[in-house]
Amino acid sequence: MQTLRKFLKFIVILIIALWILFFGIIIYAIISDYKPDEKTVIAENASPTLISDTAIVSLMTWNIGYCGLDREMDFFYDGGTKVRTPEPAFRQNFAAVSDFIKSNDSLDFILLQEVDRKSKRSYRMDEHAAIQEKLSKSSVQFATNYDVFFVPVPPSDPMGQVYSGISLFSNYDPSSSIRYSFPGNYGFPKQLFMLDRCFMVNRYPLQNGKQLVLINTHNEAFDPGEIRQAQMEYLKKFITGEYASGNYIIAGGDWNQTPPGFRPEFVSNKVNSAQMGINSNYLPVDWTWAFDSTTPSNRTVTGAYNPEVTTTTVIDFFLLSPNVSGLSVKCIDLGFANSDHNPVIIKAKLK
């Protein structure tokens, strides 16, 4: 009987300790919660690069998946079981990803998403700085969209600290670079441990007195649609206002939705028919959704990548205002070897 009482006492103490730990994490998360303003200035430049109003520009967008979502990985948030790839695989992923980005250093603009700077899942490497060192680009901007001291899930192997965001590399100096917070959030306390989604806006003066407005976006991925819709309405108001002012808009990134008019033409990949799409009436028809329908840009991460089983889709692409003409767009098939996304490259002409 005495042994039983000791055991029950131990269980009670353990339960109390776990509750104290849980509430301690919640309280500290509230105190340290990253709460960015709706508009945050990243950089301002009194001597920006002046671009021709008939220039041809080249851009690449790529969600590098923090170099932790290689073809062998699944992810617990998306129905898998794993939290992070082993460190040797991560190092190999980063080497391959950064080498590919370096091989495209000649592009005018490189837009990246899911770039970690100090995260447990990417072994605390500053990926933004490490990629910058490999490039010749003189103009570099970074906008934070995930800054949590400790993500407590899954309980058996918590994801831990995450500090991540979106990056833009170029040799063109913007007059300003600004982070805009997307609206919408999850309920308490989940919101304390999720991303604070945003898009980054770089402005470049043109010879005709207008501006090239370049947007790097990473939209919501995990909600059933309400947050995504609110974000798209916010972005629509922003870009249509810029176009009404006579500016030229190029928006690229990971939209976590398929583009209007998307009809997959994949030859050797299954299609993720459950992926949400952008409404075809979202913008007037003279705006251009520039995407490659022949090559998937994203795979599901419910399991390791198997082209015969894994479903794929296109959620990485560009949006061009009517005064910008898309000359070519190509999704580069890297076989999802080192990221759950493939890069997309475009050439566009201002007109």
Side-chain angles (χ1 to χ4, degrees), residues 30-42 142-148 163-164 178-185 191-192 194-199 234:
I30 293 172
I31 295 172
S32 63
D33 187 26
Y34 174 58
K35 295 179 180 178
D37 293 334
E38 180 181 357
K39 180 179 176 181
T40 304
V41 176
I42 299 169
F142 176 85
T144 303
N145 67 9
Y146 206 177
D147 187 1
V148 177
Y163 175 37
S164 186
I178 298 176
R179 178 199 188 278
Y180 287 86
S181 295
F182 271 127
N185 215 327
Q191 68 185 44
L192 298 172
M194 297 296 287
L195 290 85
D196 295 278
R197 300 280 182 175
C198 71
F199 60 94
Y234 183 86

Side-chain angles (χ1 to χ4, degrees), residues 95-216:
V97 166
S98 58
D99 283 348
F100 181 84
I101 295 172
K102 181 179 180 180
S103 71
N104 286 280
D105 196 12
S106 61
L107 296 173
D108 296 316
F109 302 97
I110 296 175
L111 289 65
L112 304 179
Q113 302 86 40
E114 290 196 31
V115 182
D116 277 5
R117 305 206 69 170
K118 189 178 181 181
S119 304
K120 176 185 175 182
R121 64 188 185 181
S122 52
Y123 300 89
R124 306 193 183 280
M125 176 187 282
D126 188 340
E127 297 173 340
H128 174 80
I131 291 171
Q132 181 181 355
E133 289 179 1
K134 289 202 169 192
L135 298 176
S136 65
K137 306 302 188 189
S138 59
S139 180
V140 180
Q141 291 82 37
F142 176 85
T144 303
N145 67 9
Y146 206 177
D147 187 1
V148 177
F149 84 103
F150 183 76
V151 179
V153 292
S156 59
D157 183 17
M159 193 160 69
Q161 182 182 19
V162 183
Y163 175 37
S164 186
I166 56 180
S167 299
L168 196 152
F169 303 90
S170 177
N171 281 326
Y172 294 143
D173 294 320
S175 58
S176 68
S177 179
I178 298 176
R179 178 199 188 278
Y180 287 86
S181 295
F182 271 127
N185 215 327
Y186 292 90
F188 181 86
K190 185 177 181 180
Q191 68 185 44
L192 298 172
F193 307 104
M194 297 296 287
L195 290 85
D196 295 278
R197 300 280 182 175
C198 71
F199 60 94
M200 177 165 48
V201 176
N202 279 16
R203 296 179 181 273
Y204 304 89
L206 301 178
Q207 290 178 345
N208 63 1
K210 302 300 182 180
Q211 296 178 335
L212 169 61
V213 178
L214 177 58
I215 298 173
N216 183 2

Side-chain angles (χ1 to χ4, degrees), residues 219 232 255-261 276-283 289 317:
N219 298 53
M232 291 299 290
W255 302 74
N256 275 307
Q257 299 164 88
T258 58
M276 186 177 299
I278 298 172
N279 192 299
S280 59
N281 297 319
Y282 177 69
L283 286 169
W289 299 94
F317 48 88

Side-chain angles (χ1 to χ4, degrees), residues 67 85-96 122-125:
C67 300
T85 196
E87 186 169 3
F90 165 76
R91 301 289 175 186
Q92 181 180 349
N93 292 337
F94 179 79
S122 52
Y123 300 89
R124 306 193 183 280
M125 176 187 282

